[in-house]
Amino acid sequence: MTVAIPSWQQRISPVLDTAMSLLVVTCRHGREASRREVVLGPLTPDAFARSMAELRVDVVLCAAISLELLRLLEHSGVQVQPHLCGEVNEVLHAFGCGQLD
């Protein structure tokens, strides 16, 4: 499973649509296998959705997202979990433990 989290100063970015970087984490057998930061330029919603497909992202954890981008990502098979905030590592840990509230 590959998880993408828009990040700014080690916290979840306020709005996915305007995020300039993503933390992309790949997990195998319930454990983190790799982690990398992907720097994005200003992207249209279509280009953002294509980027997620190219990165093989399964899940995006974010704070806020436009309805247009949400629909594009879901249409591409990417699960989106919005309305999250906090430090990236804490949110990622809570997601891995099934404890996102």
Side-chain angles (χ1 to χ4, degrees):
M1 172 184 295
T2 300
V3 179
I5 304 174
S7 61
W8 183 73
Q9 295 185 351
Q10 299 177 2
R11 296 185 61 80
I12 292 184
S13 296
V15 181
L16 179 61
D17 302 64
T18 60
M20 297 303 285
S21 67
L22 293 171
L23 176 65
V24 178
V25 178
T26 301
C27 300
R28 290 192 181 90
H29 308 293
R31 295 191 178 188
E32 187 175 314
S34 68
R35 173 185 288 231
R36 63 185 165 137
E37 185 173 342
V38 176
V39 178
L40 306 169
L43 298 174
T44 64
D46 286 332
F48 192 97
R50 279 192 306 274
S51 293
M52 295 302 96
E54 289 170 4
L55 292 168
R56 300 179 188 259
V57 170
D58 299 300
V59 178
V60 173
L61 306 177
C62 63
I65 182 173
S66 69
L67 186 56
E68 179 184 11
L69 182 54
L70 175 64
R71 287 183 176 157
L72 286 167
L73 289 172
E74 288 177 340
H75 181 69
S76 299
V78 177
Q79 179 187 357
V80 179
Q81 292 195 2
H83 311 297
L84 302 172
C85 63
E87 291 186 18
V88 169
N89 287 328
E90 289 177 4
V91 171
L92 187 60
H93 178 74
F95 174 75
C97 294
Q99 297 177 340
L100 281 180
D101 293 338

